[in-house]
Amino acid sequence: MQPYELTLAGAAAAIRAGELSPVELTESVLGRIGAVEDRLGAYVTLAADSARQAALRAEREIAAGRHRGPLHGIPFGLKDLIDAAGLPTTASSRVGAPHPPATDSAVAARLSAAGAVLLGKTHTHEFGYGLTTPQTRNARDHDRIAGGSSGGSAVAVAAGAATFALGTDTGGSIRVPAALNGVVGLKPTYGSLPLHGVTSLSWSLDHIGPLTRTVEDAALVLTALVGSQGPPGAAATTAPTVRSGPPAAPGPDLPPPESADLTGLRIGIPRQHYFERVDPGVEASVRAAIDQLHACGAELMDIDIPLARYLQATQWGLMVPEATAAHEQTLRSVPELYGEDVRVLLEAGALVPAGDYLRAQRSRALMREAWTEVFQQVDAVAAPSVPMAAVRAGQQSVQWPDGTVEAVSDAYVRLCAPANITGIPALSLPVGPDGTGLPAGLQLMARPFDEATVLRVGRAYETASGSVGGPVPVAA
């Protein structure tokens, strides 16, 4: 096994035992990038020289007995909406900032404090406003989309071109590409991680989270992000105030146990919304995974999803005007620099009446209250992350067996939006493959600040199913 094939936990254990050095690991991952990047397009900016310097520094610190923890010496990718000092934040757009930021974002500073090695910035759908990431190809099938908007981060992790990566999630932008590329993606509770130094798409829906190869790896990254102190002024955005029971705030004790025993845990299975207009192969894979959770001892309970018919309208009613407000000045001064798909959405946002935006805010408040009642019945909710596997590049719509024609972007956001609207933590982990041989995603959700439960359930599934693997083969 080559070092780039190791999971984060495996690499960290090898480094701590003196069996692998950060320099060896970083060189192996950089070599992997050189071998696959021209076919995948995961990175917009590669910082190989500074990565080598950081890896050497980590190696010397560890040799001197100053080991900072499991992320020390681990190479990672950073979505190009997240500032890193000295590297331009382009947002994969011609409108992107021309000058590199002088300081790290809060999350980049926390990873640096943990000793992680930044490889470079990964591609995003322009300004995070889309679910395909057109510059990047799917790690498993280059003719298909990577998913978005954190497509570069997901593909880099899936292909072994990063040991882990950070992404952002406004309407599924971590979970969608995680599901389509067969990796783990975690959207933590809204407000649990600071957005200081992150280019915003929709301030009230934006989240930051890790993409990894295993649930254990996601827990290790989240522990480092939450357990460290950010720079002054890097406070988190306001978190939801509606909770069901005392929150289990994420922290240093996050890594779930090795045991796959879920006895006593109640998992809700939605009766509506999540299994409507879902590809049969994806549904079969997800339901098989849910059966595995039941075999681990979890009690399965059918639940109703509150206000389901209003979910997409609320998501778009919040996101579209907020995104337009964020881009108001540049949309007026340099509209021609935006890609057509993003420009059209931004222009549409200017036409949303204030009353509609306020109604969407009211709808969100009602949904948060209603989901509180759901989590009084169950400890977690299990459902598909996406309704279908990765579509072919350029495909604009999908026709369902009932005759409904749905835009690809609407289909992918549909099952992820509830966790953004309510702010609850959501984890996507790979299941399948579906009938075409492509991965699908199992989505696990829990009450606010109860990341520990989604990680526990996800880890139990990995342990019981033996589904943890290395990077996917990259075709020529």
Side-chain angles (χ1 to χ4, degrees):
M1 176 180 288
Q2 297 298 314
Y4 74 80
E5 299 179 78
L6 294 169
T7 64
L8 191 164
I15 288 174
R16 190 169 187 86
E19 299 167 355
L20 177 69
S21 78
V23 170
E24 291 171 330
L25 176 59
T26 299
E27 288 294 348
S28 179
V29 175
L30 287 172
R32 179 65 168 174
I33 294 172
V36 302
E37 175 61 15
D38 62 337
R39 286 165 283 164
L40 296 178
Y43 284 90
V44 60
T45 303
L46 192 62
D49 289 343
S50 62
R52 289 186 172 100
Q53 294 170 8
L56 180 59
R57 184 163 56 250
E59 183 175 285
R60 290 171 174 169
E61 289 176 347
I62 293 169
R66 299 194 300 274
H67 190 267
R68 304 190 198 181
L71 267 60
H72 203 173
I74 303 295
F76 74 100
L78 197 63
K79 184 177 181 179
D80 199 24
L81 295 178
I82 306 171
D83 285 352
L87 293 180
T89 300
T90 72
S92 293
S93 173
R94 293 185 296 164
V95 188
H99 302 295
T103 59
D104 282 337
S105 59
V107 288
R110 293 179 181 188
L111 293 179
S112 179
V117 175
L118 178 60
L119 296 164
K121 308 291 284 293
T122 57
H123 266 302
T124 171
H125 199 116
E126 185 177 20
F127 285 104
Y129 211 172
L131 290 164
T132 62
T133 316
Q135 308 91 334
T136 306
R137 269 86 55 197
N138 190 284
R140 294 174 181 260
D141 184 339
H142 304 341
D143 293 329
R144 296 180 183 272
I145 65 168
S149 61
S150 306
S153 291
V155 168
V157 172
T163 305
F164 74 93
L166 289 195
T168 63
D169 191 311
T170 305
S173 290
I174 288 173
R175 291 160 288 157
V176 170
L180 301 190
N181 290 278
V183 297
V184 172
L186 174 63
K187 183 200 78 62
T189 303
Y190 179 77
S192 60
L193 294 178
L195 293 171
H196 173 78
V198 179
T199 301
S200 177
L201 173 60
S202 174
W203 70 269
S204 71
L205 298 169
D206 292 340
H207 300 68
I208 300 173
L211 293 109
T212 60
R213 286 195 215 128
T214 70
V215 175
E216 180 183 17
D217 289 357
L220 291 173
V221 177
L222 186 60
T223 298
L225 290 171
V226 174
S228 303
Q229 295 298 316
T237 51
T238 302
T241 57
V242 177
R243 299 174 183 166
S244 174
D253 296 328
L254 261 180
E258 293 290 343
S259 170
D261 185 10
L262 296 178
T263 301
L265 201 74
R266 301 164 301 167
I267 297 181
I269 312 303
R271 290 189 181 96
Q272 79 277 59
H273 185 71
Y274 281 98
F275 289 98
E276 297 169 359
R277 285 178 287 150
V278 172
D279 177 82
V282 169
E283 180 172 357
S285 296
V286 170
R287 290 201 182 276
I290 291 172
D291 288 343
Q292 182 71 69
L293 299 179
H294 182 58
C296 291
E299 177 186 357
L300 304 184
M301 301 175 58
D302 291 334
I303 60 169
D304 291 318
I305 297 301
L307 303 170
R309 63 182 293 188
Y310 303 108
L311 282 166
Q312 280 185 281
T314 302
Q315 172 74 20
W316 290 106
L318 294 167
M319 182 173 65
V320 173
E322 288 183 1
T324 299
H327 288 263
E328 184 176 11
Q329 292 185 352
T330 49
L331 186 61
R332 288 177 177 176
S333 60
V334 287
E336 71 281 359
L337 295 184
Y338 288 93
E340 182 179 0
D341 61 330
V342 171
R343 188 183 71 251
V344 167
L345 287 171
L346 292 173
E347 290 172 346
L351 305 177
V352 176
D356 286 354
Y357 176 69
L358 294 175
R359 277 184 282 275
Q361 292 282 14
R362 175 59 176 158
S363 177
R364 182 196 355 230
L366 294 173
M367 288 178 184
R368 283 180 176 167
E369 294 284 358
W371 277 77
T372 295
E373 297 181 8
V374 170
F375 287 115
Q376 290 174 351
Q377 306 170 47
V378 298
D379 301 299
V381 173
S385 303
V386 291
M388 58 197 177
V391 301
R392 295 198 177 276
Q395 182 175 336
Q396 299 297 316
S397 63
V398 58
Q399 183 169 359
W400 298 105
D402 64 1
T404 302
V405 176
E406 186 177 27
V408 166
S409 57
D410 287 344
Y412 283 131
V413 77
R414 174 162 40 93
L415 304 187
C416 289
N420 292 92
I421 294 169
T422 59
I424 60 177
L427 176 76
S428 179
L429 62 156
V431 297
D434 73 341
T436 66
L438 296 170
L442 170 66
Q443 185 174 196
L444 301 169
M445 294 162 280
R447 60 179 60 89
F449 299 101
D450 194 9
E451 278 79 359
T453 290
V454 294
L455 292 166
R456 175 191 172 192
V457 177
R459 183 72 183 278
Y461 171 76
E462 283 185 343
T463 301
S465 64
S467 62
V468 178
V472 302
V474 176

